[in-house]
Amino acid sequence: MQKVDLLLQIHLQDNPNATAAVYPWMEVLIPSVDAILAEMIGENLGLLEGVTGGASKHPIAFTAKRAHNSRWFIYQPDSVPDAINDIKNLIDRWTMPLLKECFSAEVFVAADQREDGRLARDRAQGMRVAAAALVSQRKDYAQAMMERWLGSPGTRRRYQQVYEYIQQAV
């Protein structure tokens, strides 16, 4: 399942002249990957800290190959059509092509292998890629992912249960 959510923020501290800000996010849900990720972390939800929380969820601006706004500010009613048009153009040009590609665990792993900058990259997302690799029968890639993202000694201790889960995976 894929979603694009338009979050509306009001009472903006960083732009008090704006009435609101539209903050579009996209998300890709792959149930088989999400189930493995849940098994990997068990009840230790603290392992999913970070922007993504282990989901492929991030601002649509990440999908653009060049710098774009993450939020569109609304000042007066006449600024709404321009904001909507700009958001629509970004979704059509950058977000939809990514969503058309990311529909399975295998494709998700391939996107990570080519270091596709359109996907968020944090520790929780790294574990999700490792889960996708396990679903894709790529245990070697899952182990390599963990070493690359969470291989330092202190971090490795914190994520030991994930390492053990991957090691025991068939």
Side-chain angles (χ1 to χ4, degrees), residues 84-150:
I84 291 172
N85 191 45
D86 196 26
I87 293 167
K88 179 194 174 303
N89 289 337
L90 190 140
I91 289 172
D92 287 345
R93 181 163 184 200
W94 301 104
T95 307
M96 291 309 294
L98 174 66
L99 292 178
K100 287 178 184 175
E101 291 175 26
C102 289
F103 55 85
S104 71
E106 293 81 10
V107 172
F108 197 67
V109 171
D112 181 72
Q113 280 185 296
R114 69 177 180 270
E115 297 182 5
D116 193 323
R118 298 176 296 170
L119 296 172
R121 300 180 76 77
D122 63 8
R123 289 178 178 174
Q125 189 67 18
M127 287 190 299
R128 189 161 196 262
V129 171
L134 291 176
V135 169
S136 303
Q137 305 299 312
R138 304 256 329 262
K139 182 177 176 177
D140 58 332
Y141 192 79
Q143 290 172 320
M145 267 304 303
M146 290 299 293
E147 288 300 325
R148 189 169 77 221
W149 284 71
L150 306 165

